[in-house]
């Protein structure tokens, strides 16, 4: 029997969250009828082609309660008659005492709207991200008395307080997360039922990233006319470590000829360009801004090396296993990155990648130099990375895991 599934998202569609769109399309192809509910409207100027393949309708909650006061008030009045409204209010007030913020009030208002406008015949709520979306999902689930589940990723795990993680994990039927580091952390917080947390790598839709059959030139940085092209893809935010990468490039020996290309937007892009100018190398860098997936694929295939200097930010934010690393590896492109979160789950230093300590420009420069000076080894490492992606990171495996979890009985939650 086909099941109707409501998926709650922080924002939709988002260019930087193609792994979520890939999952949504996979679930539709598996026979689920989806209804998408987003807490934010789109802000990206570009749209990924995969979003046009997803048939599910999208509904938007009020991003700020004061923007749609009558909708929110109506939902609170009608929600009062729902079976779990009182229990949800108790949860909210207990949370508000520990997190006395406007954001907490907003989440309860959004949850009331979701509960009152709940799609007909839907029998499950699945929430992407365990921070603010899971707060909305938890209250809404309590109000209407239906089961829910969570996909936890990276920032949402590491920037949410432990008391809140524990309570969400206890209330949700199950939680999936995409790195072993995240899995171990959430399992420890869900000690009463460790089996409710599941490890599920996102993987790639390998049909969109077919094998790269051409041979890359064996550039070793010795030719000023044919420099080594180093590519990086990602939003200009602190956890991506682009300032570390720029400082590492500045430390490379003067006899190495290279150029750097960056793809992505982000709040810190202006600061990074200023840093590149300060380091005296802005003439060796090209900033492309956000690009569509097919354009990025072409850049993977033209580059000699991929670099991403991920780190843990001061607030605990960090990447899990960045999809761009897996994408680059799928094209036999050797990757230089850091040993945090899920990255060592994909790459082993010197075997199928180059890893350096996070936040250390000198160590990252050494890894870059190793990769640049030995192009034959670099290509062998790229080939080994591609083999791992195609053998272990096919997204269809994660879709099968979700299918199995969603096939469990959906009896109503007790209040």
């Amino acid at each position: 029997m086909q099941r109707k599934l409501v998926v709650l998202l922080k924002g939709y569609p988002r260019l930087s969250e193609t792994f979520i769109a890939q999952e949504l399309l996979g679930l539709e192809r598996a026979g689920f009828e989806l209804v998408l509910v987003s807490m934010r409207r789109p802000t990206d100027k570009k749209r990924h082609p995969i979003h046009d393949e997803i048939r599910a309708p999208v509904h938007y909650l009020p991003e700020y309660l004061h923007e749609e006061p009558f909708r929110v008030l109506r939902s609170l009045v009608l929600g009062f008659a729902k079976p779990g409204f009182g229990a949800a209010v108790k949860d909210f007030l207990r949370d508000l005492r520990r997190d006395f913020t406007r954001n907490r009030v907003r989440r309860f208002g959004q949850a009331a709207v979701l509960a009152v406008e709940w799609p007909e015949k839907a029998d499950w709520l699945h929430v992407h991200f365990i921070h603010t979306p899971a707060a909305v999902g938890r209250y809404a689930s309590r109000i209407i008395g239906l089961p829910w589940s969570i996909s936890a990723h990276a920032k949402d795990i590491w920037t949410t307080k432990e008391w809140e993680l524990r309570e969400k994990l206890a209330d949700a039927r199950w939680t999936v997360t995409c790195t072993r580091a995240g899995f171990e952390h959430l399992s420890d917080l869900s000690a009463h039922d460790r089996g409710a947390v599941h490890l599920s790598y996102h993987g790639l839709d390998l049909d969109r990233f077919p094998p790269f059959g051409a041979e890359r030139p064996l550039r070793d940085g010795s030719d000023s006319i044919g420099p080594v092209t180093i590519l990086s893809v990602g939003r200009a935010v602190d956890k991506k470590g682009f300032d570390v990468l720029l400082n590492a490039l500045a430390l490379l020996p003067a006899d190495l000829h290279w150029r750097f290309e960056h793809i992505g937007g982000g709040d810190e892009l202006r600061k990074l360009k200023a840093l590149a100018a300060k380091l005296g190398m802005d003439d060796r860098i090209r900033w492309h801004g956000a690009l569509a997936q097919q354009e990025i694929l072409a850049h993977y295939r033209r580059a000699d090396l991929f670099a991403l200097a991920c780190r843990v930010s001061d607030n605990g934010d960090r990447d899990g296993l960045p999809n761009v690393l897996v994408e680059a590896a799928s094209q036999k492109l050797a990757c230089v990155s850091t040993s945090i979160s899920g990255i060592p789950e994909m790459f082993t230093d010197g075997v199928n990648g180059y890893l350096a300590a996070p936040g250390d420009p000198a160590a990252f420069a050494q890894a870059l130099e190793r990769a640049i000076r030995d192009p034959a080894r670099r290509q062998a490492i790229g080939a080994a990375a591609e083999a791992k992606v195609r053998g272990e990171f096919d997204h269809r495996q994660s879709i099968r895991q979700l299918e199995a979890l969603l096939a469990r009985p959906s009896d109503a939650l007790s209040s």
Side-chain angles (χ1 to χ4, degrees), residues 150-365:
I150 306 169
S151 279
H153 300 285
K155 174 182 179 179
D156 53 321
I157 297 173
W158 304 106
T159 61
T160 302
K161 294 179 180 177
E162 289 194 359
W163 66 262
E164 190 166 4
L165 290 175
R166 289 181 191 277
E167 294 183 6
K168 289 171 179 175
L169 291 166
D171 281 359
R173 287 301 178 85
W174 45 264
T175 299
V176 294
T177 190
C178 52
T179 67
R180 181 158 293 281
F183 168 75
E184 295 292 348
H185 183 60
L186 294 179
S187 295
D188 288 344
L189 295 175
S190 183
H192 67 289
D193 187 8
R194 290 179 64 90
V197 181
H198 305 267
L199 175 60
S200 180
Y201 293 110
H202 295 309
L204 285 186
D205 181 347
L206 295 174
D207 292 336
R208 298 178 190 275
F209 291 88
F212 178 47
E215 290 293 327
R216 289 185 173 85
L218 293 174
R219 298 188 181 100
D220 62 2
S222 62
D223 185 359
S224 61
I225 298 175
V228 169
T229 298
I230 303 166
L231 174 67
S232 195
V233 181
R235 291 176 299 120
V237 294
D238 184 74
K239 67 180 177 181
K240 301 292 183 183
F242 286 117
D243 58 328
V244 175
L245 175 52
L246 291 178
N247 281 296
L249 290 171
L251 292 173
L252 289 175
D255 67 319
L256 285 182
H257 299 281
W258 55 267
R259 64 185 179 196
F260 174 62
E261 302 200 7
H262 173 267
I263 297 172
D267 296 338
E268 297 188 359
L269 204 53
R270 184 176 298 179
K271 288 168 57 178
L272 293 174
K273 291 179 180 179
L275 176 60
K278 180 181 178 181
L279 293 170
M281 57 189 195
D282 51 337
D283 60 333
R284 304 171 80 173
I285 299 177
R286 188 173 179 190
W287 307 91
H288 292 278
L291 296 179
Q293 188 180 75
Q294 284 304 111
E295 296 173 288
I296 296 173
L297 177 61
H299 279 278
Y300 287 143
R301 293 179 168 186
R302 286 197 294 267
D304 298 298
L305 187 61
F306 188 87
L308 195 64
C310 301
R311 66 173 168 212
V312 179
S313 295
D314 289 342
N315 67 351
D317 188 13
R318 70 199 74 179
D319 273 310
L321 173 57
N323 258 35
V324 292
L325 285 170
V326 185
E327 291 173 1
S330 78
Q331 301 306 299
K332 292 185 182 178
L333 184 58
C335 297
V336 180
S337 193
T338 58
S339 53
I340 67 162
S341 299
I343 296 171
E345 297 169 39
M346 168 68 199
F347 299 102
T348 300
D349 184 44
V351 176
N352 66 345
Y354 302 86
L355 297 182
D360 187 340
F364 206 86

Side-chain angles (χ1 to χ4, degrees), residues 19 22-23 26 29 200-209 321 323 326-327 330 346 385-402:
F19 62 95
Q22 176 180 280
E23 178 183 293
R29 289 175 173 172
S200 180
Y201 293 110
H202 295 309
L204 285 186
D205 181 347
L206 295 174
D207 292 336
R208 298 178 190 275
F209 291 88
L321 173 57
N323 258 35
V326 185
E327 291 173 1
S330 78
M346 168 68 199
E386 185 207 23
K388 181 150 189 174
V389 169
R390 300 197 180 275
E392 300 179 27
F393 285 84
D394 187 330
H395 84 294
R396 286 172 290 195
Q397 181 177 348
S398 65
I399 296 299
R400 287 193 292 269
Q401 287 176 290
L402 285 176

